[in-house]
């Protein structure tokens, strides 16, 4: 450590003592400017995370999260999908440098969300393939935590999938399965992913969703999301039939809001935690009523990303010891927001059209805390 520090001091002395060469590259000048620019709060937080020890195996609270990471493609053209825009010669000019920058940014969010050591379990969507997940969990901010993932290729025409990342020392996967949502007219959407495992020894089930978009209008596209809702609902019913005390958590970008029919009738999710029978509790319904959201469309906040839980996570319904719902929220820290202009406060996204902004995503991530009783 001391040796590295002394080398840094010597390097800085040399840089400031010598006149810059006319042949000095723009990259070198940029690196020098970056080295001495003032640190932001986010920079300081990242340094603290990098210097933290690896995961403490027995905390009483764990973070379970979800994040739409906005078009996280690799740079190669897949001839079987419509990913051409996200290639170096495509419309988005998607280069290796931009891809690596995006990986680092998403890793940063995962490492910070919810508490000081990030999410123990996090569902993601708009992931192109397994390569991206490997690159993500091998980022220095995440590698020390021992993340692994569950992923299946889905039939989505753009090639984007859902996946579940998890800290392997904490969550042991016992089974997983992807369920196809069969849309009319042979249209394609993402599969619904079920992952079952032991969270510190107790079985829980995670259902990851990314339902069809509102392309063509909300009303016209509504039946597509209802198909996915009924698939997810059937998964819940099957799990509860096998074990009435099963602990089931649904997460995703539903492309519908908490009070749309796909959520209230398809999933049977309500805004109150006082659930009965087959009802589910939508953690984010009350936040939508407060005017909050995870995605901003033409100045209006939309609560498209939600986490929904069943009765098993409530002490009143399940008196056994174990993991129970504590609280939940949107992770909308300042570094994830636009800082100026007419979009100030909106998610700091990667692109606007074909203009590269270098942000994180057009969605804010969400999370819940589970507490061990």
């Amino acid at each position: 450590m001391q040796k590295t520090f002394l080398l840094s001091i010597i390097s800085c002395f040399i840089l400031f003592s010598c006149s810059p060469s006319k042949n000095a590259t723009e990259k070198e000048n940029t690196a020098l400017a970056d080295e001495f620019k003032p640190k932001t709060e986010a920079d300081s937080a990242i340094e603290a995370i990098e210097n933290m020890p690896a995961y403490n195996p027995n905390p009483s609270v764990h973070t379970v999260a979800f994040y739409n990471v906005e078009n996280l493609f690799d740079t190669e053209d897949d001839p079987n999908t419509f990913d051409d825009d996200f290639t170096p010669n495509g419309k988005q000019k998607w280069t290796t440098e931009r891809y690596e920058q995006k990986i680092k940014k998403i890793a940063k969010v995962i490492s910070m969300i919810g508490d000081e050591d990030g999410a123990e379990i996090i569902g993601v969507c708009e992931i192109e393939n397994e390569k991206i997940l490997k690159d993500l969990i091998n980022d220095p901010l995440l590698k020390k935590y021992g993340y692994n993932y569950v992923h299946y290729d889905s039939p989505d025409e753009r090639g984007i999938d859902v996946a579940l990342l998890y800290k392997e020392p904490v969550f042991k996967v016992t089974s997983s399965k992807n369920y196809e949502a069969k849309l009319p007219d042979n249209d394609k959407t993402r599969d619904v992913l079920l992952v079952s495992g032991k969270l510190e020894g107790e079985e829980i089930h995670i259902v990851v969703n990314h339902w069809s978009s509102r392309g063509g209008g909300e009303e016209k596209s509504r039946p597509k999301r209802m198909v996915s809702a009924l698939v997810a609902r059937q998964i819940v019913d099957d799990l509860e039939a096998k074990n009435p005390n099963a602990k089931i958590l649904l997460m995703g970008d539903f492309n519908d809001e908490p009070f749309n029919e796909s959520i209230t009738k398809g999933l049977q999710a309500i805004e109150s935690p006082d659930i009965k029978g087959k009802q589910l509790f939508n953690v984010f319904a009350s936040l939508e009523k407060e005017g909050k959201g995870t995605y901003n469309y033409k100045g209006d906040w939309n609560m498209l990303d939600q986490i929904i839980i069943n009765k098993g996570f409530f002490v009143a319904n399940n008196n056994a010891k174990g993991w129970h719902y504590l609280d939940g929220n949107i992770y909308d820290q300042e570094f994830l927001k636009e800082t100026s202009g007419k979009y100030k406060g909106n998610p700091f996204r990667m692109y606007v059209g074909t203009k590269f902004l270098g942000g994180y995503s057009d969605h804010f991530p969400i999370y819940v805390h589970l507490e061990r009783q």
Side-chain angles (χ1 to χ4, degrees):
M1 184 73 179
Q2 289 179 337
K3 183 177 179 181
T4 303
F5 178 76
L6 288 172
L7 287 172
S8 299
I9 294 296
I10 291 168
S11 299
C12 292
F13 177 79
I14 292 170
L15 284 167
F16 280 103
S17 298
C18 301
S19 298
S21 167
K22 290 182 180 179
N23 296 322
T25 65
E26 182 180 347
K27 185 175 182 179
E28 289 169 338
N29 289 334
T30 302
L32 184 60
D34 287 344
E35 185 177 353
F36 292 98
K37 68 183 180 182
K39 288 182 182 177
T40 65
E41 289 184 12
D43 293 331
S44 298
I46 291 173
E47 282 188 5
I49 292 166
E50 288 175 334
N51 293 324
M52 281 177 62
Y55 169 73
N56 175 5
N58 286 305
S60 60
V61 175
H62 282 324
T63 300
V64 180
F66 177 80
Y67 197 13
N68 179 330
V69 297
E70 189 198 5
N71 293 326
L72 187 39
F73 288 85
D74 64 19
T75 60
E76 297 179 11
D77 179 25
D78 183 342
N80 298 314
T81 64
F82 298 122
D83 67 343
D84 306 56
D85 288 347
F86 283 90
T87 57
N89 296 319
K91 188 166 63 173
Q92 305 300 120
K93 305 297 181 186
W94 189 236
T95 62
T96 298
E97 182 181 8
R98 289 181 174 184
Y99 169 73
E100 290 175 349
Q101 180 182 345
K102 175 82 170 185
I103 288 289
K104 289 184 180 299
K105 286 182 177 291
I106 300 303
K108 169 184 168 181
V109 177
I110 294 172
S111 69
M112 298 173 70
I113 187 172
D115 52 44
E116 65 275 3
D117 65 346
E120 275 65 54
I121 300 172
I122 180 166
V124 291
C125 73
E126 297 201 11
I127 292 281
E128 184 183 14
N129 52 38
E130 189 176 12
K131 174 194 181 310
I132 286 161
L133 295 165
K134 288 180 179 178
D135 290 345
L136 196 54
I137 66 173
N138 283 307
D139 183 271
L141 285 174
L142 300 184
K143 189 171 184 178
K144 64 184 175 182
Y145 292 117
Y147 278 95
N148 205 339
Y149 58 85
V150 177
H151 165 263
Y152 293 88
D153 286 320
S154 77
D156 180 85
E157 293 176 345
R158 294 178 61 220
I160 54 173
D161 307 325
V162 300
L164 189 78
L165 284 76
Y166 58 94
K167 292 179 180 176
E168 209 161 28
V170 180
F171 185 65
K172 306 293 185 185
V173 172
T174 56
S175 66
S176 65
K177 184 177 179 180
N178 60 325
Y179 293 79
E180 184 181 0
K182 296 182 180 179
L183 302 182
D185 301 324
N186 202 33
D187 200 358
K188 306 295 183 183
T189 191
R190 280 71 59 179
D191 293 336
V192 178
L193 172 64
L194 168 65
V195 181
S196 300
K198 300 289 184 70
L199 180 61
E200 304 277 21
E202 183 182 21
E203 185 175 55
I204 68 169
H205 308 277
I206 310 289
V207 184
V208 189
N209 301 265
H210 184 198
W211 296 356
S212 296
S213 76
R214 296 188 171 195
E218 186 277 327
E219 184 176 355
K220 182 179 179 181
S221 60
R222 189 184 301 163
K224 297 180 183 180
R225 290 185 293 281
M226 184 59 82
V227 169
S228 296
L230 295 176
V231 170
R233 179 68 240 188
Q234 189 62 55
I235 293 171
V236 174
D237 290 343
D238 291 346
L239 291 170
E240 290 186 335
K242 293 177 183 177
N243 176 10
N245 293 322
K247 296 186 175 183
I248 307 165
L249 184 151
L250 300 93
M251 58 168 68
D253 175 359
F254 297 97
N255 273 309
D256 264 339
E257 299 193 81
F259 298 99
N260 289 132
E261 287 189 354
S262 62
I263 305 294
T264 59
K265 294 184 178 179
L267 291 181
Q268 299 179 47
I270 64 173
E271 64 177 306
S272 170
D274 184 22
I275 53 180
K276 297 177 177 63
K278 295 176 64 174
Q279 291 177 331
L280 305 172
F281 169 52
N282 191 332
V283 176
F284 289 83
S286 60
L287 291 176
E288 187 204 19
K289 279 194 167 181
E290 295 173 15
K292 297 180 180 178
T294 58
Y295 178 81
N296 194 288
Y297 181 69
K298 295 184 177 180
D300 292 327
W301 283 105
N302 294 256
M303 189 68 76
L304 302 182
D305 306 274
Q306 299 151 59
I307 293 175
I308 299 167
I309 57 179
N310 80 329
K311 62 186 179 182
F313 281 105
F314 291 96
V315 178
N317 291 293
N318 180 5
N319 292 319
K321 299 286 185 180
W323 294 99
H324 295 93
Y325 168 72
L326 179 61
D327 58 31
N329 214 333
I330 302 168
Y331 189 71
D332 56 355
Q333 299 296 302
E334 291 303 312
F335 74 91
L336 290 172
K337 298 177 182 178
E338 292 277 4
T339 58
S340 61
K342 69 176 182 177
Y343 299 113
K344 183 178 180 180
N346 286 7
F348 180 27
R349 59 194 299 169
M350 185 174 60
Y351 281 93
V352 172
T354 58
K355 182 181 179 181
F356 182 72
L357 301 181
Y360 294 80
S361 171
D362 55 352
H363 289 243
F364 289 137
I366 57 174
Y367 66 93
V368 296
H369 286 131
L370 300 180
E371 181 178 36
R372 185 159 46 194
Q373 299 291 322

